[in-house]
């Protein structure tokens, strides 16, 4: 998809999420009223798309994203880079002439990945690309060297529980969908610990990779031993699965310098366009703000800068500011959604 087309799709997405529709908590009559209201913006939405694809806003979201990530870099929760990002966005929202630009104090997790490495030492030496999963404990200073057991599901892990004791569990689960497959990242470490494993390595929750592990947060179960856990590439997970299927003994050395610090003080950033006709009615355009490694979450960041681009010019131009529009940039996409409990 061309960048300009992507931008137009995102801009349309931003417009649609302006009206929060929940069929579970709203009467059918009210839902129809909301649908009719949204349908009434058809011509406005078309104008915005044309503005984004062919007009002066063409590729503006990508340009702003490039400037932001080139300037700030990765922004893991609790880091100095995150604080710099907050200052950057606060100023950007002010420069864009949004109203009531403010910050809300919030406590956020402060986990530091530290240095990390993994090496397959048997049947041959091979560096494994890893990324520690958010909130993981570290290994001892000398690392963990242990035999590997490869499983494709929790059911297989439980069936082979006796084999897993004292080993590193490698999950080579098939990718079905993100929503279904992410459970292996979320609770894989605790499930492995329950059967006596010393660490776990999870195949990246992705349909493919190019030696590029995909990380995210994971959750330790209360009352279960915390063991180090990291994601590995799709290729390395499949390699170890093939070796294991041939009866080959696999040994891996894993080192992780991860540290969990006390929660840090930080801020959500909020801006508004005060409604000219119905200021008491509020649209909320909400996006998460922090991520942990490199520039891997550009699709989410693009949504954020698209919201900024949309609110910067679109609402005043196409008179969608009858109702108040609130734009909070919240903390932390994975870790319990810290910062998402917004004020009124």
């Amino acid at each position: 998809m061309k960048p300009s087309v992507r931008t137009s799709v995102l801009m349309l997405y931003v417009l649609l999420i302006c009206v929060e529709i929940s069929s579970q908590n709203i009467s059918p009559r009210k839902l129809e009223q909301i649908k009719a209201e949204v349908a009434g913006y058809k011509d406005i939405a078309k104008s915005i798309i044309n503005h984004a694809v062919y007009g002066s806003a063409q590729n503006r979201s990508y340009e702003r994203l490039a400037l932001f990530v080139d300037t700030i870099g990765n922004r893991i929760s609790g880091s100095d880079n995150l604080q710099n990002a907050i200052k950057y966005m606060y100023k950007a929202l002010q420069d864009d002439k949004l109203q009531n630009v403010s910050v809300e104090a919030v406590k956020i997790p402060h986990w530091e990945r530290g240095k990390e490495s993994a090496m397959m030492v048997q049947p041959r030496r091979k560096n494994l690309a890893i990324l520690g999963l958010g909130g993981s404990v570290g290994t001892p200073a000398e690392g963990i060297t242990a035999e590997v057991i490869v499983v494709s599901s929790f059911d297989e892990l439980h069936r082979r529980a006796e084999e897993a004791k004292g080993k590193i569990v490698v999950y080579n689960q098939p990718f079905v969908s993100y929503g279904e497959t992410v459970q292996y990242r979320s609770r894989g470490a605790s499930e492995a610990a329950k059967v006596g494993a010393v660490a776990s390595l999870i195949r990246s929750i992705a349909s493919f990779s190019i030696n590029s592990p995909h990380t995210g947060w994971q959750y330790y179960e209360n009352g279960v031993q915390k063991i180090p856990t990291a994601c590995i590439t799709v290729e390395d997970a499949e390699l170890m699965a093939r070796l294991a299927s041939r009866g080959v003994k696999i040994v891996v050395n894993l080192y992780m310098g991860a540290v969990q610090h006390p929660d840090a003080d930080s801020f959500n950033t909020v801006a508004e366009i005060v409604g000219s006709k119905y200021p008491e009615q509020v649209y909320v355009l909400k996006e998460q703000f922090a991520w942990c490694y490199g520039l891997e979450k550009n699709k989410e960041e693009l949504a954020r800068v698209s919201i900024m681009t949309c609110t910067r010019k679109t609402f005043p131009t196409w008179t969608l500011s009858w109702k108040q529009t609130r734009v909070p940039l919240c903390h932390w996409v994975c870790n319990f959604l810290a910062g998402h409990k917004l004020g009124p």
Side-chain angles (χ1 to χ4, degrees):
M1 187 181 291
K2 295 181 179 179
S4 59
V5 177
R6 289 177 181 169
T7 301
S8 68
V9 171
L10 279 163
M11 295 292 266
L12 181 58
Y13 161 75
V14 168
L15 284 175
L16 292 177
I17 64 171
C18 288
V19 180
E20 296 185 351
I21 299 176
S22 172
S23 57
Q24 297 178 354
N25 300 307
I26 197 169
S27 68
R29 181 178 179 182
K30 182 63 175 178
L31 182 60
E32 290 303 315
Q33 291 175 344
I34 294 175
K35 288 181 179 178
E37 180 181 358
V38 173
Y41 293 133
K42 179 179 179 180
D43 291 340
I44 295 173
K46 183 178 180 181
S47 297
I48 292 172
I49 291 171
N50 288 336
H51 181 60
V53 176
Y54 305 113
S56 60
Q58 186 180 46
N59 290 330
R60 183 184 296 159
S61 295
Y62 276 88
E63 292 165 2
R64 300 189 84 182
L65 171 62
L67 178 61
F68 176 68
V69 297
D70 290 348
T71 303
I72 302 298
N74 60 312
R75 303 158 301 286
I76 191 168
S77 178
S79 68
D80 290 340
N81 276 10
L82 178 60
Q83 297 307 102
N84 292 335
I86 294 168
K87 295 175 184 177
Y88 180 103
M89 298 301 284
Y90 181 82
K91 183 178 185 301
L93 291 166
Q94 288 183 316
D95 291 344
D96 286 349
K97 309 301 182 185
L98 271 72
Q99 298 164 302
N100 301 328
V101 180
S102 62
V103 293
E104 297 177 342
V106 62
K107 284 284 189 180
I108 61 172
H110 184 190
W111 174 78
E112 188 176 358
R113 176 174 282 110
K115 294 183 179 180
E116 55 188 17
S117 63
M119 171 75 73
M120 184 173 72
V121 296
Q122 192 177 331
R124 60 183 174 89
R125 295 184 67 82
K126 181 186 185 300
N127 282 315
L128 304 176
I130 68 167
L131 281 175
L133 294 178
S136 176
V137 296
T139 64
E142 67 277 12
I144 294 173
T145 300
E147 187 176 347
V148 161
I149 178 174
V150 182
V151 298
S152 61
S153 67
F154 289 136
D155 286 342
E156 182 181 359
L157 174 67
H158 298 152
R159 288 197 307 270
R160 302 174 63 189
E162 287 299 317
E163 297 177 60
K165 290 181 179 179
K167 295 181 181 178
I168 296 173
V169 171
V170 170
Y171 291 97
N172 184 41
Q173 74 287 342
F175 181 81
V176 179
S177 67
Y178 188 83
E180 182 173 342
T181 314
V182 75
Q183 63 178 319
Y184 288 93
R185 188 185 76 202
S186 300
R187 59 189 184 94
S190 288
E191 291 301 316
K194 289 176 184 178
V195 296
V198 294
S200 65
L201 297 173
I202 290 88
R203 169 176 164 158
S204 291
I205 311 304
S207 55
F208 70 97
S209 67
I210 46 175
N211 202 42
S212 50
H214 176 275
T215 189
W217 205 256
Q218 59 84 35
Y219 308 97
Y220 287 122
E221 186 176 329
N222 290 335
V224 177
Q225 177 70 34
K226 295 180 179 180
I227 61 174
T229 183
C231 61
I232 58 176
T233 67
V234 173
E235 300 95 314
D236 285 340
E238 291 183 341
L239 167 63
M240 287 188 277
R242 291 194 302 271
L243 291 171
S245 70
R246 300 173 192 140
V248 176
K249 181 178 179 179
I250 306 167
V251 177
V252 165
N253 173 263
L254 174 67
Y255 173 77
M256 296 176 61
V259 179
Q260 183 72 56
H261 300 285
D263 285 357
D265 294 316
S266 192
F267 302 94
N268 289 332
T269 308
V270 182
E272 297 177 340
I273 296 174
V274 177
S276 60
K277 189 173 182 179
Y278 306 110
E280 75 285 355
Q281 298 184 32
V282 179
Y283 292 137
V284 177
L285 309 181
K286 180 174 69 172
E287 270 297 341
Q288 294 91 14
F289 194 59
W291 194 246
C292 56
Y293 192 82
L295 309 180
E296 64 201 44
K297 298 294 282 187
N298 280 359
K299 61 183 184 296
E300 279 86 354
E301 295 296 354
L302 184 56
R304 282 160 218 141
V305 294
S306 293
I307 286 175
M308 289 178 61
T309 300
C310 182
T311 53
R312 180 186 192 186
K313 295 293 184 183
T314 297
F315 285 100
T317 303
W318 282 283
T319 65
L320 286 183
S321 56
W322 285 359
K323 299 181 181 181
Q324 180 170 316
T325 304
R326 183 171 297 156
V327 186
L329 300 179
C330 301
H331 269 287
W332 202 229
V333 66
C334 286
N335 186 24
F336 305 110
L337 300 179
H340 279 236
K341 295 180 179 179
L342 299 174

